[in-house]
Amino acid sequence: MKTAQTWRFSMKEMQILPAPRHRGQLKKPTWIIVLVSLVSLFLICAYIYPPHNSAACYVFSSNGCKGFSHWLPPAPVREFTDDEIASRVVIRDILSAPPLESKNPKIAFLFLTPGALPFEKLWDKFFHGHEGKFSVYVHASKDKPVHFSRYFVNREIRSDKVVWGKISMVDAERRLLANALKDPDNQHFVLLSDSCIPLHDFDYVYNYLMRTNISFVDCFEDPGPHGSGRYSEHMLPEVEKINFRKGAQWFTMKRQHAVVIMADSLYYTKFRDYCKPGMDGRNCYSDEHYLPTYFSMLDSSGIANWSVTHVDWSEGKWHPKSYRAQDITYELLKNITSIDESVHVTSDEKKEIQLRPCIWNGMQRPCYLFARKFLPEALDSLMQLFS
């Protein structure tokens, strides 16, 4: 800014000088200031409360919300707690360590059942002739089962009561994993229920699982009341709502991921204490949220985001479709085994359907190796089909 100069004139000089021209006061560009202020205020609000409506996003970017987020400043990184730092260090070292080599790699089949296994004869047929390539572990939460197959005799582990929808379901899964991990040859772990059946022969299942370096843990984001609507802020700061995920509990996983689960206490405790029926007036089920959220946060690239165990939720009920004897046909099994896209149905108002191609090792594959829920009466029909 230039410094104003004061000129002094004598009276005579003043008379010689022409009369000054009257110039109106300069108007400040008020409208520009107001416009810039409004735009700045809008951008600040958009950063703090980003738009979720697709129409609103396209007003500012042809790429929608995704494009809009690219030119916003990044959200500040949250500082981890001491417990989080310790937990993540352990998990990082486990995942970065070279896999345990085995001269005789096996699959551990983990059966989570209240008592008897109605399809034990079918599993006996599945296992026959492949001794040395598998291990069997049975968690019977109510009654000690009577076995008909030599592969299941004396394979029960110490079991405890399991209540549907409560953390005891996760406890039983961890108990099965802990017992199976004692055998260093067990390289892949498959969780199955008493209503599960195999869809392929043993060699197909063995090669499918052993030739991949990922775990088949179901995981997706459900913005509806039965997804993120179950989240409790008591999980903060370790588990934020943006990280909360959902998925079927029936997993198969590689050994490193099984060890990571056993090493976890921090995130497990959060779900034990704050994800349960009746929590904050909502019903949260740990077996549907703990593992999907855990792996999504800590090793999202290491899971396939779908389960290789097929379940039919097309009836829209609280429980999946059950298969009776009259339902068992060659066409039914052929249809299930030919599916190569996993389907996730959200619980929001639109019931949005998320389709995900089942791709691993760079190729699209059939999604399912197992299926549930088959009623005991279906055994004879299944035995005929698999004969």
Side-chain angles (χ1 to χ4, degrees):
M1 181 181 294
K2 295 182 179 180
T3 307
Q5 297 180 347
T6 304
W7 295 87
R8 297 183 179 180
F9 301 98
S10 65
M11 292 299 294
K12 186 177 180 179
E13 289 172 332
M14 289 292 291
Q15 292 175 359
I16 298 175
L17 287 174
R21 296 179 181 178
H22 294 283
R23 200 168 6 170
Q25 186 178 5
L26 290 176
K27 293 182 179 180
K28 295 182 180 180
T30 307
W31 67 273
I32 296 178
I33 296 174
V34 171
L35 180 61
V36 171
S37 300
L38 288 174
V39 172
S40 300
L41 179 62
F42 174 79
L43 291 176
I44 293 172
C45 291
Y47 174 61
I48 299 174
Y49 306 103
H52 298 287
N53 180 276
S54 58
C57 294
Y58 279 97
V59 171
F60 307 100
S61 172
S62 61
N63 295 323
C65 287
K66 184 177 180 181
F68 181 72
S69 63
H70 286 338
W71 55 270
L72 288 175
V77 178
R78 177 178 63 82
E79 185 177 359
F80 289 150
T81 65
D82 291 342
D83 288 340
E84 282 180 286
I85 294 173
S87 178
R88 287 171 179 260
V89 166
V90 171
I91 293 168
R92 182 199 63 196
D93 283 358
I94 292 173
L95 295 178
S96 61
L100 182 66
E101 296 291 337
S102 171
K103 294 182 179 180
N104 183 35
K106 297 187 294 185
I107 297 176
F109 291 85
L110 318 176
F111 289 88
L112 182 57
T113 176
L117 290 165
F119 298 106
E120 190 171 307
K121 290 183 178 179
L122 185 63
W123 285 105
D124 181 271
K125 187 175 183 64
F126 173 79
F127 291 134
H128 182 72
H130 302 283
E131 293 78 1
K133 289 187 175 182
F134 67 90
S135 304
V136 172
Y137 301 86
V138 179
H139 185 291
S141 59
K142 290 184 179 179
D143 304 314
K144 181 178 175 62
V146 176
H147 297 295
F148 303 95
S149 168
R150 61 191 176 100
Y151 302 122
F152 288 84
V153 173
N154 297 325
R155 298 310 301 168
E156 292 94 354
I157 66 168
R158 187 195 69 79
S159 305
D160 207 344
K161 183 180 180 180
V162 173
V163 179
W164 181 83
K166 294 192 176 181
I167 194 66
S168 56
M169 188 79 77
V170 176
D171 293 338
E173 296 171 8
R174 288 163 60 99
R175 200 173 292 122
L176 281 162
L177 286 173
N179 279 270
L181 282 167
K182 291 191 292 184
D183 186 343
D185 289 332
N186 287 332
Q187 297 296 304
H188 213 95
F189 304 79
V190 180
L191 181 67
L192 299 161
S193 75
D194 55 314
S195 69
C196 284
I197 66 163
L199 295 172
H200 301 272
D201 62 31
F202 183 90
D203 287 330
Y204 183 95
V205 172
Y206 186 88
N207 292 329
Y208 190 108
L209 297 179
M210 288 300 190
R211 290 177 181 176
T212 181
N213 63 348
I214 59 175
S215 294
F216 295 95
V217 177
D218 195 24
C219 176
F220 70 103
E221 187 173 1
D222 180 358
H226 304 311
S228 58
R230 295 171 173 175
Y231 173 80
S232 170
E233 291 187 351
H234 292 294
M235 292 186 175
L236 291 172
E238 291 85 359
V239 181
E240 300 179 71
K241 188 173 184 178
I242 194 173
N243 300 127
F244 198 68
R245 295 293 184 270
K246 183 179 180 180
Q249 73 177 110
W250 310 104
F251 61 75
T252 77
M253 66 178 57
K254 59 183 182 179
R255 186 177 182 91
Q256 284 173 306
H257 281 159
V259 174
V260 161
I261 291 174
M262 301 314 303
D264 175 48
S265 61
L266 174 63
Y267 300 97
Y268 164 81
T269 301
K270 287 288 182 177
F271 281 86
R272 181 196 65 194
D273 295 342
Y274 305 118
C275 179
K276 51 189 176 182
M279 184 70 200
D280 294 336
R282 298 183 291 266
N283 290 325
C284 185
Y285 307 114
S286 295
D287 57 285
E288 294 183 6
H289 298 285
Y290 167 55
L291 291 185
T293 303
Y294 181 63
F295 282 113
S296 177
M297 291 173 58
L298 301 171
D299 191 21
S300 60
S301 63
I303 61 173
N305 296 308
W306 83 85
S307 168
V308 292
T309 299
H310 177 265
V311 184
D312 184 353
W313 289 97
S314 62
E315 295 180 339
K317 299 179 180 178
W318 279 101
H319 296 282
K321 175 181 173 59
S322 296
Y323 296 101
R324 311 184 71 89
Q326 61 266 28
D327 299 321
I328 309 304
T329 62
Y330 172 78
E331 287 72 24
L332 170 68
L333 299 183
K334 182 180 179 181
N335 289 339
I336 295 176
T337 55
S338 65
I339 297 172
D340 60 3
E341 286 185 325
S342 65
V343 180
H344 292 134
V345 182
T346 65
S347 61
D348 56 8
E349 292 182 358
K350 296 181 180 179
K351 300 292 182 183
E352 180 184 355
I353 298 176
Q354 303 174 6
L355 296 177
R356 185 189 300 273
C358 296
I359 298 176
W360 55 265
N361 290 357
M363 293 181 62
Q364 189 162 356
R365 318 271 180 160
C367 296
Y368 301 115
L369 303 177
F370 315 99
R372 61 187 302 268
K373 302 213 357 173
F374 288 79
L375 298 180
E377 66 184 59
L379 176 60
D380 292 339
S381 300
L382 290 167
M383 291 294 291
Q384 291 177 10
L385 285 176
F386 282 94
S387 60

